Amino acid sequence: MHDDDEVSGRVTLAEVAKEAGVSMPTVSKVLNGRSDVSRATRAKVERLLDAHGYRRRSQAASRSPLIEIVFHELDSIWAMELIRGVENVARENRATVVLTESGTRHTPAPEWLPGVLRRRPLGVVLVFSSLPEDIKRQLRAAAIPFVVIDPAGDPDPDVPSVGSANWAGGLAATRHLTGLGHERVAIITGPEDMLCSLARLDGYRSAMAMAGLETDPRLMRFGDFHVQGGFENAMELLEGPDRPTAVFAGSDLQALGVLEAARLKGLRVPEDLSVVGYDDVPLAQWSSPPLTTVHQPLRHMAEEAARMLLRPDDPGTAAQRIELATHLVTRQSTARLEGREATDRPGNTESACSIGN
């Protein structure tokens, strides 16, 4: 702990220690994320630091030239796009990117926190839908800015975040298919407990309603954003004579699973089945056939998140939301349904949303 650490220039750490009924070394352990402090004591000290508006005056000198990005899994294609975005900004600022895998898709694991407090990076980019209050308090107490790249679309109001227009993306994908004359359009969205999945599903429902079509619950499935989930759901959807003529998959990986299911069922894409993905990862243009998909600006999202960390207005304490536009990219996996006239121009439906604070 440094001699010039103060609480808002009004209350010293010694006074915080006295008010909490603990020693100065205990306050120092809390600030530095040490594990040898009881949960009750840590919570008491953090509440007092937070109440007194604690700011570390020597924070710039004590930080490492690192930007940390934390995922719950690193083995996905879209994770690589996010990493490249953060690296672009880190390179501009002569910083190094640290990758961490921790927790679930909702939040990092508690054991991640002591390590990041020891590393003291310039900031942390978290690819999660939420952050526990305990983690937020300790990062703020240590003056470590953080931003969430929000895959679920439901950030806490006090957390800086970057997201994209999921409802508009689902609308664009489905309008493209109904515009090609498809009436039995299936959807395989993402996990049911993620709002991005529900937003894409709502966009699908809205597009079906706009086309004067009823939605069939048997054609709506929740997947897991991975190839296997898309494959298994598509195998069930494509059973029987009353199958869908088009499938909107909630991710490009799920769309690849749909393509494989169609192949095994003896269906040609797009002659017998049109398929739309979501994300527009680089692999989408190399699938067979090249995939029509909704472009989610993953790399741009990561760049914006990293820039938020490095802005002088301290994004770790002032919540800000940036939402980026999505748009449809038309390739060769969709076609007009035989015998139907197109009612909309394929690929011409874009989100009206743009970057906003």
Side-chain angles (χ1 to χ4, degrees), residues 42-60:
R42 181 185 300 279
K44 183 191 298 184
V45 171
E46 285 173 351
R47 280 197 301 270
L48 288 170
L49 290 170
D50 197 39
H52 290 300
Y54 174 77
R55 294 285 298 278
R56 183 181 290 274
R57 294 169 64 183
S58 55
Q59 57 182 293

Side-chain angles (χ1 to χ4, degrees), residues 173-315:
T174 312
R175 283 194 65 189
H176 172 67
L177 293 170
T178 59
L180 292 172
H182 294 278
E183 297 181 357
R184 288 192 60 75
V185 179
I187 179 172
I188 307 171
T189 189
E192 193 170 3
D193 60 350
M194 296 182 70
L195 284 191
C196 64
S197 306
L198 299 177
R200 293 170 196 177
L201 178 60
D202 284 344
Y204 158 86
R205 287 184 174 127
S206 295
M208 294 291 282
M210 291 169 66
L213 300 172
E214 292 188 6
T215 54
D216 184 345
R218 295 172 297 175
L219 298 183
M220 294 183 285
R221 303 297 177 92
F222 289 97
D224 59 4
F225 288 144
H226 293 289
V227 175
Q228 187 66 27
F231 173 78
E232 292 173 356
N233 278 294
M235 289 295 285
E236 294 177 3
L237 287 167
L238 298 178
E239 286 286 349
D242 202 24
R243 64 169 179 82
T245 62
V247 177
F248 166 37
S251 73
D252 290 341
L253 293 180
Q254 288 188 153
L256 294 179
V258 175
L259 294 179
E260 176 60 13
R263 186 188 70 82
L264 292 179
K265 294 289 187 182
L267 300 174
R268 300 166 299 164
V269 176
E271 293 86 352
D272 302 318
L273 181 73
S274 286
V275 180
V276 177
Y278 200 105
D279 288 330
D280 193 24
V281 296
L283 184 62
Q285 61 184 309
W286 298 108
S287 67
S288 182
L291 188 64
T292 295
T293 185
V294 175
H295 178 79
Q296 181 172 213
L298 295 168
R299 196 175 301 194
H300 190 187
M301 290 163 66
E303 289 172 345
E304 287 296 326
R307 290 190 183 106
M308 287 171 72
L309 293 175
L310 301 175
R311 287 173 186 159
D313 57 352
D314 192 6

Side-chain angles (χ1 to χ4, degrees), residues 160-172:
S161 63
V162 180
S164 68
N166 288 292
W167 179 87
L171 181 79

Side-chain angles (χ1 to χ4, degrees), residues 4-16 19 50-55 57:
D4 58 348
D5 284 347
E6 294 185 0
V7 181
S8 302
R10 296 165 51 200
V11 181
T12 68
L13 291 183
E15 290 172 309
V16 170
E19 189 175 346
D50 197 39
H52 290 300
Y54 174 77
R55 294 285 298 278
R57 294 169 64 183

Side-chain angles (χ1 to χ4, degrees), residues 108-125:
E111 56 267 23
W112 163 76
L113 188 60
V116 73
L117 294 177
R118 286 192 302 271
R119 287 187 290 275
R120 296 195 60 77
L122 296 173
V124 181
V125 175

